[in-house]
Amino acid sequence: MHPPAPHSVTAAAPASERAELRATLALATPLVAANLLQMGVYSIDVIFVARLGTTELAAATLGVYLYSVLAFAMIGLVGAAAPLIAAELGRRAHAVRQVRRSFRMAMWLAAVAGLGTMAILANGERLLLLTHQDAHVAARAGAFLDILLWATIPAVATGVMRVTASALGRPGWAMLVTGLGLCMGLLGNWLLVFGRAGFPALGLEGSAIASVVTSVAMMLAFVLILLLDRKLCRYRLFGHWWRTEWSRLREIFRLGAPIALTMTFEGALFSAAGFLMGLIGVTEVAAHAIALQIAAIAFQVPFGIAQAATIRVGMAYGARDHVWIGRAGRVSLTVGIGFMVFTASLLLIAPRLFVGVYVDPDAPANAALVALALQYLGVAAAFQLFDGAQAVAAGVLRGLQDTRVPMLAALFGYWVIGAGCAVLLGFCAGWQGLGIWWGLAAGLAAVAALLLWRWTARARLGLLPPTLHPN
């Protein structure tokens, strides 16, 4: 006999826009904080290894990039459990059993996806040589990845536990566990890269070991949370872990594979932009990296709001409440786009302030770099609006369990519009790096327009469930 589904205010339809706003912000705020902390977790290796020399820095940068792109895509794959769990909570029918099934099969998929990703990372040196990287750098990156690949399954499993805890009304744990990971990563790199406190100085390999230990620690922390948290433990998420639910596994894969591909398409577009910058000049690459890092930090806010939107819309979808669906989506889109209006304004008003975090804007040697970065940040002001809109629009559509068509929209927008405009404006029109950035903005604008149209046309397109509350 299973316990009844725990009651939670997050599973009830809000009575007003203001109530929905409070619920969305309560869910999104710790997720935004966790996303920002996660950026730090991925950056620690590069920051510490930078002091070992140019070759080791290049190896760590390439290795972390390859690992993070693949791991992020796999976390997107298993993250499809979030809208399913949210819908089950909204439906309120046998929620404990159904939530446990979705969690269990997502964890199974995490293991399988993690093994596949490990196989790819084990061939990291060969992959980097195929992209014509320096042979010595590729060899060092391969050695780095041979260790780092063991962090994959813990990282993907942590992704499942994170979205599950968030969907069940405990998003604060994501922030705390990621903060723990950041602290452990700092300590591990300090001890193992340079050999502090009696530990051996292992250099690049020490940084990889620190990352593996950090990933395992984060996974174990979430296991303890799911077992001991008074609200979460009532779902008995690790119960009957050996039981197969092939239909649920297929459902998670059906929803998750397009999410993983969408993330891959977007990440590949920005990687391609970096390679295009490399065809222009070294200064352009450096300016591009600075501007893109600033934009990426700001993006973590709408990305966190999108994660919350998936859960809020997913609950309304499970409840078959069309009014709630519309309200949850409207509030999330308003908050996400509204924040990006704020960041775009800051980029227009004080761009030198942001560039100054990375380089001295007044140093004569940095004059060309700063001038280019300021140009790119001017484009990033428009970029912010489109990026925030497409991120949250994708999130609300995932709450409706709609992922395949948004994936196709992303493929078209990023690679036909975005990459096409980047090449045409950057090289054919002679705008160089500025043209590449306007191409990125065009791609994001196209995806945002397509996804927002799909959201507004959700009823005509048959994306809504049969309503229990006709209006």
Side-chain angles (χ1 to χ4, degrees):
M1 181 167 179
H2 300 281
H7 293 285
S8 169
V9 293
T10 59
S16 66
E17 300 260 343
R18 182 175 296 181
E20 180 61 45
L21 176 62
R22 285 196 298 269
T24 299
L25 291 178
L27 186 55
T29 301
L31 293 177
V32 169
N35 292 339
L36 291 169
L37 290 169
Q38 189 65 55
M39 288 191 69
V41 172
Y42 283 141
S43 301
I44 288 172
D45 291 347
V46 176
I47 292 171
F48 274 87
V49 171
R51 296 173 61 185
L52 297 177
T54 303
T55 298
E56 302 294 88
L57 173 61
T61 301
L62 291 172
V64 168
Y65 173 74
L66 183 57
Y67 168 82
S68 61
V69 166
L70 292 175
F72 194 53
M74 293 305 99
I75 290 171
L77 171 67
V78 299
L84 293 176
I85 290 172
E88 288 152 6
L89 294 173
R91 198 173 295 120
R92 309 284 291 191
H94 308 294
V96 170
R97 183 182 295 109
Q98 297 303 323
V99 166
R100 185 165 56 240
R101 287 172 176 170
S102 293
F103 173 79
R104 182 167 66 245
M105 288 298 98
M107 290 291 279
W108 279 41
L109 186 57
V112 174
L115 287 172
T117 303
M118 289 174 68
I120 296 172
L121 294 175
N123 292 281
E125 180 180 355
R126 295 185 183 89
L127 292 174
L128 293 173
L129 289 174
L130 288 175
T131 63
H132 305 290
Q133 301 297 319
D134 177 83
H136 184 50
V137 171
R140 293 299 294 138
F144 178 73
L145 287 170
D146 284 343
I147 299 172
L148 186 61
L149 62 85
W150 295 101
T152 306
I153 291 179
V156 181
T158 297
V160 176
M161 291 185 279
R162 169 179 159 158
V163 299
T164 301
S166 299
L168 296 177
R170 288 288 195 261
W173 286 121
M175 177 181 65
L176 292 175
V177 172
T178 311
L180 168 69
L182 181 61
C183 294
M184 288 204 63
L186 286 168
L187 178 62
N189 274 270
W190 184 75
L191 292 174
L192 296 176
V193 173
F194 306 115
R196 311 287 188 185
F199 284 82
L202 300 178
L204 184 65
E205 285 77 2
S207 182
I209 293 171
S211 293
V212 173
V213 172
T214 298
S215 290
V216 172
M218 291 174 67
M219 179 186 69
L220 294 177
F222 256 120
V223 169
L224 289 175
I225 288 166
L226 296 184
L227 290 174
L228 300 178
D229 181 280
R230 292 183 62 184
K231 180 176 181 181
L232 300 177
C233 70
R234 288 188 286 179
Y235 287 90
R236 301 178 186 173
L237 292 169
F238 294 103
H240 308 300
W241 59 267
W242 60 89
R243 288 187 180 175
T244 56
E245 299 280 352
W246 299 119
S247 61
R248 187 61 53 89
L249 182 64
R250 286 192 296 270
E251 192 173 9
I252 294 172
F253 185 82
R254 177 183 64 81
L255 292 175
I259 297 174
L261 288 172
T262 298
M263 292 177 171
T264 302
F265 295 152
E266 185 173 6
L269 174 66
F270 286 101
S271 298
F275 283 116
L276 291 176
M277 287 289 184
L279 299 176
I280 301 172
V282 175
T283 305
E284 283 77 4
V285 173
H288 171 75
I290 291 173
L292 196 59
Q293 181 70 11
I294 293 169
I297 291 171
F299 174 74
Q300 299 311 308
V301 176
F303 183 52
I305 294 168
Q307 292 170 316
T310 297
I311 295 170
R312 295 299 302 169
V313 174
M315 288 179 175
Y317 181 87
R320 295 197 243 172
D321 188 332
H322 293 190
V323 174
W324 185 9
I325 288 173
R327 182 184 293 132
R330 188 163 55 249
V331 166
S332 296
L333 286 165
T334 301
V335 172
I337 297 173
F339 180 83
M340 296 314 262
V341 169
F342 171 71
T343 58
S345 301
L346 290 179
L347 292 180
L348 289 174
I349 294 169
R352 289 177 67 87
L353 181 65
F354 294 99
V355 174
V357 174
Y358 298 89
V359 296
D360 181 359
D362 298 318
N366 295 332
L369 171 64
V370 171
L372 287 172
L374 293 176
Q375 287 184 13
Y376 301 159
L377 285 178
V379 182
F383 188 116
Q384 297 288 294
L385 301 178
F386 305 140
D387 208 11
Q390 65 86 23
V392 182
V396 296
L397 288 171
R398 287 168 192 163
L400 298 179
Q401 302 184 16
D402 179 37
T403 59
R404 189 178 66 85
V405 173
M407 174 199 69
L408 297 175
L411 176 61
F412 173 77
Y414 294 143
W415 282 96
V416 177
I417 303 298
C421 287
V423 172
L424 288 174
L425 296 176
F427 298 96
C428 299
W431 292 10
Q432 297 193 322
L434 194 61
I436 292 172
W437 267 75
W438 277 117
L440 293 175
L444 290 168
V447 176
L450 290 170
L451 297 186
L452 287 171
W453 173 83
R454 189 165 177 82
W455 167 253
T456 58
R458 59 190 179 278
R460 296 197 304 275
L461 296 174
L463 301 179
L464 296 177
T467 182
L468 294 178
H469 307 289
N471 287 285

